[in-house]
Every structure is written in structure tokens, then in C-alpha cells.
Amino acid sequence: MTTSTEPVTASVVESASRPELAAPIGAGVLHLRAAGVSVVLDASGSLLPRIAHWGADLGEVDEQTARRIAEVSVLGTATAFLDDPMLLGIVTEHSRGWTGFPGLIGHRSGRDWSTLFRVVAIQARENTVQCTAVDTEARLLLELVIELTPQGLLRSRAKLIVTPAESPDGDAPFELDGLTLTFPVPSHATELLDFAGRHLRERHPQRHPFDIGARVRETRKGRTGLDGTLLLAAGTPGFSFGSGEVWAIHVAWSGNQRALAERMNTGHAVLSGGELLLPGEITLGSGDCYTTPWIYGSYGLGLDAMASRFHAHLRARPHHPSTPRPVILNTWESVYFDQDLTRLTTLAQDAASIGVERYVLDDGWFLGRRDDTKGLGDWQVDTQVWPNGLHPLVDRVHELGMQFGLWVEPEMVNPDSHLARDHPEWVLSSGNRTPLPARRQQVVDLTQPGAYAHILDSLDALLNEYRIDYLKWDHNRDLLEAGRWPTGQAAVHNQTLATYAIMDELRRRHPGLEIESCASGGGRVDLGILEHTDRVWASDCIDALERQTIERYTGLLLAPELIGSHIGSAQAHTTGRRHDLSFRAGTAFFGHLGVEADVSKMTPAERANLAEWVAVHKSFRPLLHTGRVVRLDNVDPSLMVRGVISDDQNEAIFSIASIKTADTAPTGALHLTGLKADVRYAVSLLPPGDVVRGNGQVEPSWISTPTVLPGAALQYAGLPMPDLWPEQVLLLHLRRATQAL
């Protein structure tokens, strides 16, 4: 199992001679460029590197100009401040004059709490800079990686190593309380955007002025959090999806974390992020080390440009899903805990008939599981419900040409389970008391070798016995008093690493296995978990109206093919709202499509309509899951419009969602962005998302008459909209015209 500390020898320090920079620009000033972004990194002195510029591409920069950019970026001083200008490193230090949130928080029995790191080695290869620095008095070595990815993402991580003392008397451990990395933003970024939410309403935006002081977003819930911020963005006033400069950071970590925006009266403005460590969680002895998660930064002209960098980065990963995302049917809202082979087999046959490609058996299949009060932790098939095991269902699903998936929640345990009764010491707790219950469950302490082996072996046994292609991996409660028996020492850090390790080991043993990150729906959505999984469940809420907003903003980080998006029942399970099939299907159309509705209870006409939606989605998957995502700002507040445009800009699909009654009838023109100005596009509504429901007596002519318009006309003159009833979706299809009509 991966742990928080890794052995390191004294030779790390001894070998830290300073090599020459590979292809330096100027005297240690580096210009990193990629995909329209420039980062000027001043690594010219002995202090930690600092970012002199992060933002728009500066073009070809010669040695003298790069050095001058770094020089003029240093802010002056005023009365009652430092005598010399403050040089702000990526790890901020009190010793360099920084009085804001510290980059490194820790101490040795009250000593060594303020560091002054000196660079002893630095290397630059292409757009990656590796820096080694030491504080000999504090006996700390810091290794920094700063990288500008080919997609224009700035990312950094740090490793802190405790070096040996000269004598055993001076070998006290270092208590680490936090290591945060900082990216500066310019002074004209005066507005902030972050996200909040709750179960069934994740990732809703909130804006704030970026004033003097700190806006700190922290989660101590042991997971990314239903109310956690997906991104923390700073931008020019009024920045939107398509306009304004935007700088955003993301903490790629699935446990406790911190993101903050801070503006000082010295004129400095920064975005910072890192893991949030609980008291006493990380104690580093001689030779031990701690590594931060990656902190990502993205710059763009508008939120869409900022988001497109994340999408491109995710799609370039070697382990990014390379096959078309199979359409899923999940059994939860069809049967809940009432599992029956005949009923589930019928459901599988109906699913196959509408084009479903992956069938997922949800909660209720394992030992003693009749409701949510018992059974978690006992990952064996319940023979009272399944006398022949899952084989009859699994085999039938594969016979029907579908993959088989299974719901699990390996990190949790019900007190009413064999696991909890046999091993009470395997439950996370801070001491002799049991944490408050949530969802009638506690948390398995995966940092215990026995518990780790038990969960890994239980899941491995299932995967060995059954042809399981996919695990829906849930995580249905926050972690409270998450300590390790018998001392109660905080364990969220190691628990997170252990979860990653189990996922990785299962995938190593079972090549081709895919895993979904689900955590009460959208409680674990981050780039850390996506290093070990293949998609996220955006929310337990499948109400299409709520999903319009949830998926709109989840998409600022994740590409559509990574976002599980399902067609729910006519009446939403979580809100009670009723929506017609076209609104439900049109909302789910762009993501990793699934069906949650009970198709066995649909009429033949309803199933045929659903099958049509599934077929159209499949036919456009190559566009939907590779194209560039755009979201329109310049629309009536009653509309929510998003689109996907092919890389060559020859084709696009836009979703026009009416989310409330408009103030005017009709709402005005739709101005489509992201198209080539001089390309002529054939414009049409895409069946089955072509049914206009509204109060219009005369619809705009393009709806019924074949229309070809250049991209410039579609953007600047626009397409007039019909007067739509609330809660419906139209799909607009644009394709490069071969001839004028």
C-alpha cells in the first residue's frame, strides 16, 4: 500500500549539486510556452522560483526581454513595508516578507516553523522545471516540479523531505500541518468565482469581489465534498463563458483540501491550493517525505477557453477511455432493493432492445442487504436472493451483447454486518468512541493492513468469479473523526491513498475494468480520483432541470464523456418534478449517456422514442466526446445553451434548453459562437430533439425551411428563437454545407 512517508537517504542532499539549465533563457529566467499560454519563471537567484507572468502568450521572447519581464514584474514598496521588494515564490515564505497564508506550515516542537529555502539544483527540460532547495537550519529539503502542459495548463507539486541530523539529539520529527502552492494573478483580476452546493444540487456558481483579504474554501469531509469548490477562479470584471481573462486553480486530490484566493495590501494577488492536513496527521522523521497533490492552473479568455485546456489535458492522458462510451442502464430506480432474477432479466432484455450497451446492477445484491441499514462490508453475493449467484443474470446480460456492471461501496461498513462485528478495530475513529452515524454507516479504515487486504480480496474474488466489466464505486458519507485505531491519529491522507491503491491494483489484476467515481452522487469529482477511474457520477439528482446547471458547471473541469448523465423517470425520484422524455433525454444527450428510468414499464411507443434518442446519441458520439464545448452567455435568461463543435469546425450540435418562462415572447436571436466565419453551415433541428412546444403562432422560418448561413451570420445576426414552453430541449445541428440552398 502507498503510504504518506517514503524512505530517503542522505545522498539526496549530498548529490544536489547545481547543474546547468537545459536551454535557459537569460540568467535563469525561463519562458514556458504552450497552446497560447506563457509562463515566465524567474529562477535566477538562490531563492525559490517565482512566477513573473502567467497568462496570454507573449510570443517569441529573447534572452534580454525575458529577463526584463521578470525584473519589471517585481512590485515596488511603500511606507511601513519592507525595505526591499518582496519576491513571491511558488511556496510562499514568511522569511521573504509574505504575511499572508503560509506556503509551509509545520514545526519541530515549536522550532523551524519559518523556513528560508535556498536553491541547490535546477533543471529545465522542454516545459518542465525541477528545482531542489534546502533549508539547512531546519533540515528540510524541498523538491518542486513546475510544468506547462502541451494544453497550456500550469501545474505544480512539491515534495518535502526531512534530512538527517548531525547527531541523534537533534533528530526531532517535523510536524507538518500544510504545504500549499501559490500562483500569482494580475491586479486587474478583481472578481472571483467558486462553487457550492449540497446533495442533489452540486456545483452551483457563486461570485464575489476579489477584495483585500482571503477567500478560503476548505473541506474536512474526507472527500472532495458535495459543497466543495470544483475550481477557484479569478478574472477581469464580468468575465463570462466567452469573454474576459480568467485564471483558475484546481486541487487534484480526493481527500481534505484547501483552495484560497488572497489579495494583500502590498498589491499581490494569488490563488493557492493544497491538501488540508488534520492535526498530527503527518509527522516526518529523518528521511521521511511528504508529496503534495498536483495543483492545476488554467488561463483563458473566457471560462470556456479555460475549461477547454482541462478537457484537452484529460483527453491526452494515456489511460483516457479510448472506446466509445457505452450507453448504460442502471437498475436503481427500477427495482431499488427489491432484486429478483426474473424482473432483472426482463429489464436487461428491454434495455438491450433500446440500444443499451452496459447493464449495471445497483445496490442490494450482497449479503443481508434488504435495505440500507445492513450488509456494507460483506461483499459476497447473497444466496437467499441469488441461489445460483449472479451467473444467470451476468450470463444473460452478456448474451444480449451488453457489458455487466456492479455497484459497490468498499470504503463503508454498516454496524450491522459481519465485518463490523468481527473487526470493530477496522472502523475509522478518533479514539474509543464511534463517530456519529451517517447514512447508517461508518468508514472502513483502509490504512489497516488487514482491512485493506480484506476489501481488496473481496472485490478481487467477485471479479474473478463473474464477468464484471465495470464497478460503480460509491462513497456515501463524509468522514468524521477519521482516526486510526488504536491511537486515533488522523488518517484521511492515508485513507485517500489507500483507496487509490485498491483501485489501481484491481485494474492491474483485471485489465479493461472500468470504475466510476460516485460519492452520494457528485461528492468526489476531482482530477485526483480521475487518475484511477473512468468517469464520475455528477449527481444523484436526475431531475433534468437541476441537471442543466449541475452539468453546465461540472463541465468547466471535465470533458463530457467523463460525466455520467442519465435519463431518469418521468417523475424525478429526488424532486418529484415531471418532465417529458425529450427534456430528460435532451439534457442527458451530451454526456456519458445512461438510462435510469424503468424501461420495462414504458409503453411500446415510449420505448421506441427512447431507442431513437439512444441511437442518435450513438451516431454523434464521435463529435460529442471529442469536440470543443461552448456555452453561450448572450442568451435570454430563460434559456441555457451549450454546444459541441468539431475540431475542424465543420459540424456542431447545440442544446437549447428552456428552463423557465421568458419575459418576452419570443426571446430574441441566438448568437452561436465558435464557428468559422467564412464557412457556410446547413442549419436544422436534429430529430428527435426537433419538436417545438410553445405559444408561437408563426415560427421562425429556419425551423421549417432548409437554411444555409455563414458562421459570421450565425454569430452576429443570429437565429431568432420561437416562444418555447419551459422545460424542453431543442437540438440544433450545424454541418458544413456542400452547396447553397
Side-chain angles (χ1 to χ4, degrees), residues 65-117:
T65 303
R67 188 166 55 248
R68 190 61 184 145
I69 289 170
E71 291 169 353
V72 301
S73 70
V74 178
L75 300 182
T77 63
T79 56
F81 286 116
L82 298 172
D83 292 340
D84 297 318
M86 179 168 53
L87 302 176
L88 191 64
I90 290 178
V91 175
T92 56
E93 296 180 280
H94 206 63
S95 59
R96 294 174 64 169
W98 177 252
T99 56
F101 191 89
L104 175 63
I105 307 176
H107 64 96
R108 281 191 186 85
S109 301
R111 295 181 294 107
D112 300 329
W113 59 271
S114 179
T115 60
L116 180 59
F117 283 105

Side-chain angles (χ1 to χ4, degrees), residues 632 635 639 641 652-657 666-672 681-687 689-693 698-710 713-715 717-724 728-735 741:
L632 299 194
V635 297
L639 301 178
V641 182
I653 296 178
F654 284 85
S655 161
I656 306 164
T667 56
L670 199 68
H671 298 268
L672 304 176
Y681 294 93
V683 180
S684 62
L685 291 178
L686 179 65
D690 61 342
V691 179
V692 179
R693 298 179 178 89
V698 178
E699 305 295 1
S701 65
W702 67 266
I703 291 177
S704 56
T705 303
T707 299
V708 172
L709 290 171
L714 291 168
Q715 178 171 356
L719 289 176
M721 286 290 97
D723 183 27
L724 299 174
Q728 65 172 296
V729 166
L730 297 178
L731 294 183
L732 178 64
H733 185 208
L734 306 177
R735 64 192 185 282
L741 297 179

Side-chain angles (χ1 to χ4, degrees), residues 388-470:
N388 298 310
L390 297 177
H391 290 293
L393 180 62
V394 174
D395 292 345
R396 182 58 180 145
V397 166
H398 283 287
E399 288 170 1
L400 291 165
M402 296 183 291
Q403 298 177 4
F404 183 83
L406 194 65
W407 180 94
V408 294
E409 193 174 1
E411 298 156 80
M412 302 299 156
V413 59
N414 287 126
D416 187 357
S417 67
H418 292 294
L419 178 64
R421 287 187 289 269
D422 294 344
H423 293 283
E425 75 278 11
W426 287 357
V427 174
L428 282 174
S429 67
S430 64
N432 294 323
R433 62 177 177 269
T434 302
L436 293 171
R439 299 284 289 260
R440 292 158 288 281
Q441 59 195 48
Q442 296 291 339
V443 184
V444 179
D445 182 0
L446 296 177
T447 73
Q448 300 281 355
Y452 180 95
H454 171 79
I455 296 300
L456 175 59
D457 292 346
S458 296
L459 297 178
D460 186 47
L462 284 167
L463 294 168
N464 281 326
E465 182 172 357
Y466 300 104
R467 295 170 59 197
I468 297 171
D469 306 285
Y470 175 84

Side-chain angles (χ1 to χ4, degrees), residues 383-663:
T383 55
Q384 291 188 13
V385 178
W386 300 94
N388 298 310
L390 297 177
H391 290 293
L393 180 62
V394 174
D395 292 345
R396 182 58 180 145
V397 166
H398 283 287
E399 288 170 1
L400 291 165
M402 296 183 291
Q403 298 177 4
F404 183 83
L406 194 65
W407 180 94
V408 294
E409 193 174 1
E411 298 156 80
M412 302 299 156
V413 59
N414 287 126
D416 187 357
S417 67
H418 292 294
L419 178 64
R421 287 187 289 269
D422 294 344
H423 293 283
E425 75 278 11
W426 287 357
V427 174
L428 282 174
S429 67
S430 64
N432 294 323
R433 62 177 177 269
T434 302
L436 293 171
R439 299 284 289 260
R440 292 158 288 281
Q441 59 195 48
Q442 296 291 339
V443 184
V444 179
D445 182 0
L446 296 177
T447 73
Q448 300 281 355
Y452 180 95
H454 171 79
I455 296 300
L456 175 59
D457 292 346
S458 296
L459 297 178
D460 186 47
L462 284 167
L463 294 168
N464 281 326
E465 182 172 357
Y466 300 104
R467 295 170 59 197
I468 297 171
D469 306 285
Y470 175 84
L471 292 177
K472 180 180 179 181
W473 188 298
D474 217 334
H475 181 289
N476 270 318
R477 66 156 293 170
D478 294 335
L479 275 56
L480 293 178
E481 296 193 296
R484 188 176 191 272
W485 184 88
T487 64
Q489 182 182 11
V492 172
H493 174 83
N494 283 341
Q495 178 81 359
T496 305
L497 292 178
T499 299
Y500 290 167
I502 287 182
M503 290 177 170
D504 289 347
E505 180 60 18
L506 288 173
R507 289 158 67 100
R508 186 191 68 80
R509 296 183 186 183
H510 303 276
L513 175 70
E514 292 195 3
I515 300 176
E516 173 184 48
S517 171
C518 177
S520 310
R524 190 153 62 181
V525 176
D526 60 79
L527 297 189
I529 201 66
L530 273 169
E531 286 299 303
H532 314 277
T533 59
D534 302 279
R535 82 164 193 167
V536 301
W537 184 226
S539 178
D540 279 344
C541 182
I542 318 176
D543 179 322
L545 184 60
E546 298 290 345
R547 276 283 184 142
Q548 282 287 333
T549 298
I550 291 169
E551 294 188 21
R552 185 177 182 85
Y553 291 102
T554 303
L556 287 182
L557 179 69
L558 302 187
E561 64 270 23
L562 297 172
I563 303 172
S565 185
H566 290 189
I567 301 168
S569 303
Q571 182 170 15
H573 164 77
T574 54
T575 66
R577 286 195 190 101
R578 299 189 68 87
H579 293 127
D580 63 26
L581 180 59
S582 65
F583 187 58
R584 290 177 278 140
T587 297
F589 186 78
F590 287 79
H592 185 173
L593 183 67
V595 177
E596 205 86 9
D598 188 350
V599 295
S600 66
K601 293 181 180 178
M602 289 182 171
T603 67
E606 289 172 330
R607 274 202 295 270
N609 191 6
L610 179 55
E612 186 181 2
W613 276 100
V614 169
V616 172
H617 168 82
K618 287 181 180 179
S619 69
F620 284 98
R621 269 187 304 209
L623 167 61
L624 298 173
H625 295 167
T626 64
R628 180 166 53 88
V629 178
V630 296
R631 304 159 188 85
L632 299 194
D633 299 300
N634 53 356
V635 297
D636 187 276
S638 68
L639 301 178
M640 196 170 284
V641 182
R642 58 175 165 170
V644 177
I645 302 171
S646 64
D647 288 340
D648 59 12
Q649 295 175 279
N650 286 336
E651 188 174 23
I653 296 178
F654 284 85
S655 161
I656 306 164
S658 173
I659 58 173
K660 61 182 180 180
T661 302
D663 290 333

Side-chain angles (χ1 to χ4, degrees), residues 366-385:
F366 50 96
L367 199 61
R369 190 69 164 179
R370 302 297 177 273
D371 53 37
D372 66 353
T373 66
K374 59 180 70 71
L376 283 178
D378 300 336
W379 300 109
Q380 300 85 40
V381 176
D382 193 328
T383 55
Q384 291 188 13
V385 178

